[in-house]
């Protein structure tokens, strides 16, 4: 049987044991963020949660809200600010005071976390807390034993596991799905532009008949939940476009599944250059693209960025590089 000096020391080691438990759970949370291509860490959670719950806060108010030191709050804010997720602004009526607030990218990320990830973490953590009432040290021991049996990281993955996903090829009968899924995510964040309408109302003429591809992802019990297209644009240049997943199906990793399958299909086509156009508001999607191997590309922005008024991010993918393992 493995030795555990902190458990053997009982109340004497309570602080050290709680610190060990917290670090273990924080490390698992950070793994989950990495799995999803999110830039944040578990230590960023208190300030993000406070800003999401209470709105803009002064440093003093943030310290009170999260119950950690002022230097710790400042460090977390500085890290989030470098990622473009928080900023500071003067307090109305008192220019000497400043408040920490979420940026639009920060709000988009928090909304994604609240919708998709936090419910999974809550359920996984609740499993660790279930059991008969006991004294505090016994409860800690039970949580530690449960983590030894299955980590919080794996429990969150279990919570996020959904129905089996399948790739579906384009068929004219699926044109309404292509239209509906694209309208849903574009209209949720932006305004449909003339180019959007031209593509989603005429997918065969704009994409298929010109040598492009439209793919769908289908989930058991849910039907078609996402789509993505490879559209010829200029010679052998193709745009990865209209990638979206229904809001009701987010959290199933359908986006990851669909993007990887679309890249695999791109490798089978006579594509010289592959690019995509998006907007900084689509922070989660950009992280997904970066994780898949897309890189930000100023030349692509210069050449194709004017295709959409909302475009302020352009990325390209090197199809000559070996597939990611």
């Amino acid at each position: 049987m493995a030795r555990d000096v902190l458990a053997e020391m009982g109340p004497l080691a309570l602080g050290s044991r709680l610190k060990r438990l917290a670090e273990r759970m924080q490390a698992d949370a950070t793994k989950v963020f990495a799995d999803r291509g999110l830039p944040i860490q578990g230590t960023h959670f208190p300030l993000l949660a406070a800003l999401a719950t209470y709105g803009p806060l002064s440093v003093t108010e943030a310290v009170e809200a999260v119950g950690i030191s002022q230097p710790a709050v400042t460090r977390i804010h500085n890290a989030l600010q470098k990622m473009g997720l928080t900023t500071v602004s003067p307090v109305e009526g008192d220019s000497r005071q400043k408040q920490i607030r979420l940026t639009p990218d920060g709000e988009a990320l928090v909304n994604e976390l609240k919708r998709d990830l936090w419910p999974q973490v809550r359920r996984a953590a609740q499993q660790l807390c279930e059991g008969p009432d006991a004294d505090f040290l016994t409860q800690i021991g039970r949580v530690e034993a449960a983590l030894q049996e299955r980590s919080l990281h794996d429990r969150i993955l279990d919570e996020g596991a959904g129905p089996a996903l399948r790739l579906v090829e384009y068929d004219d009968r699926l044109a309404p799905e292509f239209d509906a899924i694209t309208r849903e995510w574009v209209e949720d964040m932006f305004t449909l532009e003339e180019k959007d309408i031209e593509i989603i109302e005429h997918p065969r003429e704009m994409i298929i008949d010109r040598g492009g591809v439209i793919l769908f992802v289908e989930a058991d019990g849910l039907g078609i939940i996402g789509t993505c297209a490879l559209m010829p644009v200029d010679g052998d240049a193709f745009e990865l476009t209209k990638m979206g997943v229904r809001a009701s199906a987010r959290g199933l990793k359908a986006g990851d599944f669909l993007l990887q399958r679309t890249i695999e299909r791109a490798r089978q086509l006579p594509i010289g250059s592959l690019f995509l156009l998006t907007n900084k508001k689509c922070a989660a999607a950009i992280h997904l693209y970066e994780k898949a191997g897309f890189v930000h590309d100023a030349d692509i922005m210069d050449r194709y960025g004017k295709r959409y008024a909302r475009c302020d991010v352009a990325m390209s993918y090197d199809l000559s590089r070996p597939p990611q393992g």
Side-chain angles (χ1 to χ4, degrees), residues 10-299:
L12 178 62
L14 178 60
S16 296
R17 197 168 175 187
L18 288 173
K19 183 174 184 294
R20 180 180 68 180
L21 181 59
E23 289 176 346
R24 182 170 185 175
M25 297 180 74
Q26 291 275 11
D28 272 353
T30 297
K31 285 183 182 178
V32 171
F33 294 140
D35 288 344
R36 297 182 177 225
L38 300 174
I40 57 176
Q41 300 179 9
T43 53
H44 299 156
F45 170 77
L47 184 56
L48 285 174
L51 295 173
T53 303
Y54 304 121
L57 298 169
S58 68
V59 172
T60 301
E61 291 171 334
V63 168
E64 180 181 350
V66 303
I68 59 178
S69 69
Q70 183 271 330
V73 167
T74 300
R75 282 196 302 271
I76 296 171
H77 163 61
N78 288 341
L80 294 173
Q81 188 173 39
K82 287 181 180 178
M83 291 183 272
L85 301 177
T86 61
T87 188
V88 292
S89 60
V91 175
E92 187 175 352
D94 187 353
S95 59
R96 296 171 300 176
Q97 296 291 325
K98 292 186 177 181
Q99 289 182 317
I100 302 171
R101 64 175 63 241
L102 293 170
T103 64
D105 284 352
E107 291 177 355
L109 177 61
V110 166
N111 287 336
E112 177 189 357
L113 294 173
K114 290 166 68 175
R115 181 185 62 241
D116 299 332
L117 183 57
W118 286 358
Q120 297 171 13
V121 177
R122 182 180 292 108
R123 291 192 295 268
Q126 181 62 41
Q127 292 175 9
L128 298 173
C129 298
E130 292 174 351
D133 292 338
D135 68 87
F136 188 42
L137 288 177
T138 300
Q139 290 178 3
I140 294 174
R142 178 166 47 76
V143 173
E144 290 174 328
L147 285 172
Q148 190 66 31
E149 178 181 337
R150 189 161 183 77
S151 70
L152 179 62
H153 172 258
D154 289 344
R155 291 171 186 268
I156 295 172
L157 290 183
D158 290 344
E159 287 294 326
L165 303 176
R166 290 181 299 279
L167 193 69
V168 177
E169 302 287 338
Y170 176 82
D171 183 289
D172 286 335
R173 290 171 296 180
L174 294 176
E177 299 283 356
F178 183 68
D179 185 311
I181 293 171
T182 302
R183 286 181 186 274
E184 179 182 289
W185 74 261
V186 174
E187 292 179 337
D188 181 55
M189 304 180 71
F190 309 103
T191 299
L192 276 173
E193 300 181 27
E194 183 177 340
K195 176 62 71 174
D196 296 310
I197 296 171
E198 182 182 17
I199 293 170
I200 64 178
E201 291 188 353
H202 306 282
R204 173 165 288 283
E205 294 84 352
M206 294 296 297
I207 300 175
I208 302 299
D209 290 346
R210 297 172 57 215
V213 171
I214 300 175
L215 300 174
F216 297 89
V217 57
E218 182 179 38
D220 285 344
L222 298 175
I224 299 295
I225 60 172
T227 187
C228 186
L230 294 167
M231 183 172 69
V233 173
D234 179 20
D236 62 359
F238 277 60
E239 179 185 357
L240 187 148
T241 187
K242 301 299 175 276
M243 177 169 165
V245 174
R246 293 188 183 278
S248 59
R250 288 174 189 160
L252 303 181
K253 292 205 169 183
D256 303 70
F257 174 89
L258 187 57
L259 180 59
Q260 290 301 324
R261 299 305 183 278
T262 304
I263 292 173
E264 290 172 8
R265 182 60 56 86
R267 293 182 180 280
Q268 301 169 15
L269 298 176
I271 295 178
S273 64
L274 177 64
F275 70 92
L276 63 84
L277 306 172
T278 186
N279 183 279
K280 292 176 183 177
K281 289 175 64 176
C282 304
I286 292 171
H287 294 317
L288 180 62
Y289 297 140
E290 291 171 336
K291 182 180 176 183
F294 279 87
V295 297
H296 295 264
D297 193 317
D299 181 59

